[in-house]
Amino acid sequence: RVITALLSLLQWLLITTCDVLQEAGTFVVTFPSTYIASFNTGFNVVESVCTAPPDWWEWSEIAAARLRATRRVPLFSQDRLLLESAAAESLSGPVTDHLLPALLKMIRREEVLRLQLWSAGVHKSRAINFPKGMTSTDTQDAECATCRAPLHTLALECDCCPGRYVCPHHAAALCECGPREWRLLFRFTLSQLWDKLAAAAAKVGRTVADLEAAEESTRAAAAEVNVRKAIAIVHAAVEARDIQDDTAAAAAGEEDRSQTPLLAIQASSEDVAAAAVSEGQPAAAAATTAAAVADAEQQMVDQTA
């Protein structure tokens, strides 16, 4: 009855739902950003194994951010899995096509997070020399005290609250001592992370420069797609203005629309840039998109004035 009531509520909220009965020996395939719930219809013995294709790495950072926002404990540390996968003795081309760009993105994220902490005044640091956790007796990675994310590469601590750790995203929740008293814990230096990327790329005959060039090409392609979307929105707004003006002129019996004011075009460059960032496009590419859209907007306004 509870399940039926929940399904009815979701359908009333216009949320698409589907149900499936998993039989013995069958697999259930789910997609990124999908909410999953299950229950047993009787006595059984179940072993759950999570698998994913290589292109899942493109969604991993989004998934991690969503788990942080909802304070849900991940099944595993995605950073640990990424680094351990890159350290495998042999890597295939299809896997590295997604694995290496994800590792490059993770390293850039590490650079930004550390720079933000240094700029805020965090000058103390401590290297973590244990395979897991923060001490020699830990058997698993510590969790952020705020969002419960596993702390594999970076963490913050303070002498006023031993045993309490937070991730860089929730540094302000550590304590009231302030950045100058906080200590940055790191498992790898930035140089070590770049070396790991270079070693993984070399296994498939590539270099870090190759990866950075491919990343820049992807950014440019994403910016072009967003510009085309924005121009389409601008055209639609102009057409809507024309239809509105035609309707108003017909109702008033006017034939001359030369003095009709322009309808405000809602597809601003700032909106497009925000949308680009929300879709996962890097801020640099989003800024390029915004500049191109601003030029397109001005051209459209000049043509319709």
Side-chain angles (χ1 to χ4, degrees), residues 241-242 245-246 248-250 253-263 301-305:
R241 193 256 356 229
D242 291 339
D245 289 349
D246 289 341
E254 300 176 356
E255 296 182 356
D256 184 7
R257 298 190 295 108
S258 60
Q259 300 303 319
T260 304
L262 279 174
L263 179 69
V301 171
D302 293 341
Q303 293 175 6
T304 55

Side-chain angles (χ1 to χ4, degrees), residues 2 23 25 34 62 81 104 117 121 145-146 181 183 186 192 194 207 212 224-225 237:
V2 174
E23 303 287 353
T34 303
I62 299 174
L81 178 62
L104 175 60
L117 292 172
T146 299
E181 300 300 324
R183 184 179 296 106
F186 62 93
Q192 289 174 329
W194 282 110
T207 65
E212 291 177 330
E224 182 179 356
V225 169

Side-chain angles (χ1 to χ4, degrees), residues 238-279:
V238 172
E239 291 176 0
R241 193 256 356 229
D242 291 339
I243 294 174
Q244 181 180 2
D245 289 349
D246 289 341
T247 303
E254 300 176 356
E255 296 182 356
D256 184 7
R257 298 190 295 108
S258 60
Q259 300 303 319
T260 304
L262 279 174
L263 179 69
I265 298 176
Q266 300 300 321
S268 69
S269 57
E270 292 81 0
D271 293 337
V272 175
V277 172
S278 67
E279 291 178 1

Side-chain angles (χ1 to χ4, degrees), residues 14-32:
L14 301 180
I15 298 176
T16 303
T17 61
C18 61
D19 58 89
V20 61
L21 178 62
Q22 185 177 13
E23 303 287 353
T26 61
F27 292 87
V28 174
V29 179
T30 60
F31 293 89

Side-chain angles (χ1 to χ4, degrees), residues 10-11 47 64 66 86 129-130 161 167 177 188 194 197 230-231 243 246 273 299-300 304:
L10 293 174
Q11 292 171 356
E47 180 181 4
R66 183 176 290 108
N129 298 316
F130 312 106
C161 47
C167 67
C177 295
F188 308 101
W194 282 110
L197 177 60
I231 291 177
I243 294 174
D246 289 341
Q299 292 176 7
M300 293 301 301
T304 55

Side-chain angles (χ1 to χ4, degrees), residues 79-252:
D79 289 343
R80 174 186 290 278
L81 178 62
L82 183 60
L83 291 168
E84 291 180 350
S85 299
E89 293 185 3
S90 61
L91 295 172
S92 62
V95 173
T96 55
D97 288 343
H98 301 282
L99 176 66
L100 296 181
L103 182 56
L104 175 60
K105 183 183 294 185
M106 190 207 80
I107 296 174
R108 294 199 185 282
R109 185 183 74 239
E110 289 281 312
E111 289 180 330
V112 171
L113 290 174
R114 298 184 192 203
L115 181 60
Q116 290 175 342
L117 292 172
W118 294 333
S119 300
V122 179
H123 301 305
K124 298 180 181 180
S125 63
R126 174 168 71 89
I128 307 171
N129 298 316
F130 312 106
K132 294 183 179 181
M134 304 299 177
T135 66
S136 58
T137 57
D138 290 344
T139 58
Q140 59 184 4
D141 288 325
E143 293 181 358
C144 173
T146 299
C147 67
R148 307 185 70 184
L151 304 173
H152 181 64
T153 56
L154 287 179
L156 285 167
E157 68 175 0
C158 186
D159 292 335
C160 75
C161 47
R164 177 181 172 85
Y165 308 102
V166 296
C167 67
H169 300 282
H170 298 102
L174 177 58
C175 64
E176 298 181 356
C177 295
R180 294 192 176 277
E181 300 300 324
W182 298 343
R183 184 179 296 106
L184 175 65
L185 309 181
F186 62 93
R187 198 175 303 276
F188 308 101
T189 65
L190 291 176
S191 178
Q192 289 174 329
L193 290 175
W194 282 110
D195 289 343
K196 290 179 179 293
L197 177 60
K203 295 175 185 178
V204 290
R206 304 178 68 181
T207 65
V208 174
D210 295 335
L211 298 176
E212 291 177 330
E215 180 187 48
E216 186 61 30
S217 177
T218 301
R219 288 179 180 178
E224 182 179 356
V225 169
N226 283 324
V227 168
R228 293 182 181 278
K229 289 181 180 179
I231 291 177
I233 295 173
V234 172
H235 276 288
V238 172
E239 291 176 0
R241 193 256 356 229
D242 291 339
I243 294 174
Q244 181 180 2
D245 289 349
D246 289 341
T247 303

Side-chain angles (χ1 to χ4, degrees), residues 37-83:
S38 63
F39 64 95
N40 298 324
T41 58
F43 177 77
N44 63 357
V45 178
V46 179
E47 180 181 4
S48 298
V49 179
C50 297
T51 60
D55 60 356
W56 176 82
W57 287 116
E58 300 175 10
W59 294 85
S60 62
E61 189 171 355
I62 299 174
R66 183 176 290 108
L67 290 173
R68 286 198 303 269
T70 56
R71 298 193 63 191
R72 293 175 58 192
V73 180
L75 297 177
F76 53 85
S77 168
Q78 297 181 11
D79 289 343
R80 174 186 290 278
L81 178 62
L82 183 60
L83 291 168

